[in-house]
Amino acid sequence: MAAMSLLLRAAAAWGARRAVGGAAGGARLRWPSGAARLPGTVAPVRHSSHGKRMFIIKATSFYDSRFLNLLRFYIFLTGIPVAVFITYVNIFIGQAELAEIPEGYVPDYWEYYKHPISRWIARYLLDPPEKNYEKAMALLDVEAKKTELRLMELEARRLMRARGDGPWYHYETPDKNLTDESMKATPDN
Amino acid sequence: MPEDRDWEVYKAPPTRTPVLEKDTSLSNPVHLFQAAFSYVLDRPITFVREWIERQQAKNKFYYYHQQFRRVPDLSECMEGDYLCFFEAEAQWRRDRMVDQEIVAIVRERFGACQQREGPNQFQNCAKEMEQLVQVTKAYQDKYGELGAHGNARTCLMKQKHRMMEERKAQENADQ
């Protein structure tokens, strides 16, 4: 239908050129626009969807549409596989059910989570919370022992300095038998 | 899909709508809407949901609520025993979380009662209101104005001050 209208429009343009050529060449009666025509002849077409073709001047949307296309592309590149995977997990594997802890059974640390992906992450990627707890306690233990020893050292230093009866603050002096007091033996030196 | 809440917990009282006697021969259009809803929405959705549940029932697995052992409290720790402090602090935080959940549950019960009773709430919900008042007062006494940096030690100090004031008030009352 578009091709038909294009054809008709091209034929109309050709007919118009012929009519102009005819009018410039010689006086010739031209068919009025409202007269009946023979079949196969050209008539001005009035499809309402094809008005005069306009060249609309507006600001470029090239950069904006390029940005949005790239944004959608890179988001969906990983977004769609992740969404499909999560849908598969939720439909075919499903979430855990809450149960009472059976007698004599100690659940593993990942069995306290509900969603299968959380359980997987807790089991294979993260450390058990007991390990973190013990690590924190070990750190505290080391620091506590260091604090204790430092306080004891300060106390010992203070006491030895005050009483002077310990091995610290004990400065070696040379033997008094080594001093030569011959210069001071007589009073007139 | 989010689970429905447990319908047995907050049971609404049975409705007392009277049985109507039909006096026209026109069929009730409400039955038409109910049939349309059932065939267009209810049955397909139920079918899909049951299919999904059959897939999930092939390998069931469970999760549990973790039970923590009780450790000595902060008031039973020796001075300078930092390991004991750490464990007591962890236990206090867990207990505070549990207490927050308890308060939330009691508040939810009261809200459910209000919603259920409607205009009769002031008479029929007195028990739930009393429980909520007691629970929130207890929570406020214990954890009340400790602030964002509240820990087991500040809570213990608050308890100590409370006991001192109780003793003082008792002495004043005795005199």
Side-chain angles (χ1 to χ4, degrees), chain B residues 49-60:
Chain B
R49 178 71 192 163
E50 279 172 7
W51 179 82
I52 290 177
E53 286 188 347
R54 267 183 306 206
Q55 305 302 317
Q56 289 179 1
K58 288 177 188 165
N59 43 355
K60 270 168 118 38

Side-chain angles (χ1 to χ4, degrees), chain A residues 64-184:
Chain A
D64 295 337
S65 36
R66 181 180 70 175
F67 168 71
L68 291 171
N69 282 337
L70 287 173
L71 185 75
R72 277 196 298 263
F73 174 70
Y74 282 110
I75 285 180
F76 291 147
L77 186 64
T78 47
I80 289 186
V82 164
V84 165
F85 175 71
I86 291 179
T87 310
Y88 173 83
V89 165
N90 279 335
I91 291 182
F92 290 95
I93 299 182
Q95 301 195 340
E97 277 182 25
L98 184 57
E100 288 291 328
I101 300 181
E103 284 295 324
Y105 176 66
V106 178
D108 291 306
Y109 65 98
W110 66 81
E111 288 177 2
Y112 295 115
Y113 295 93
K114 193 172 175 183
H115 195 267
I117 296 181
S118 311
R119 282 167 87 105
W120 188 87
I121 292 175
R123 186 172 176 178
Y124 291 107
L125 297 182
L126 300 179
D127 280 327
E130 291 89 3
K131 183 173 172 186
N132 286 333
Y133 196 81
E134 293 293 326
K135 270 161 75 172
M137 297 249 279
L139 214 66
L140 278 177
D141 186 39
V142 164
E143 292 297 315
K145 289 199 168 91
K146 275 158 74 173
T147 314
E148 203 182 345
L149 284 176
R150 283 172 187 158
L151 285 173
M152 288 205 301
E153 188 203 342
L154 284 175
E155 186 65 17
R157 223 162 64 181
R158 185 183 69 84
L159 286 173
M160 282 198 223
R161 201 177 188 125
R163 296 177 192 166
D165 59 352
W168 297 352
Y169 297 102
H170 202 196
Y171 300 107
E172 289 287 334
T173 49
D175 192 7
K176 83 171 154 5
N177 300 328
L178 296 172
T179 52
D180 174 21
E181 285 164 347
S182 56
M183 283 176 273
K184 301 186 191 280

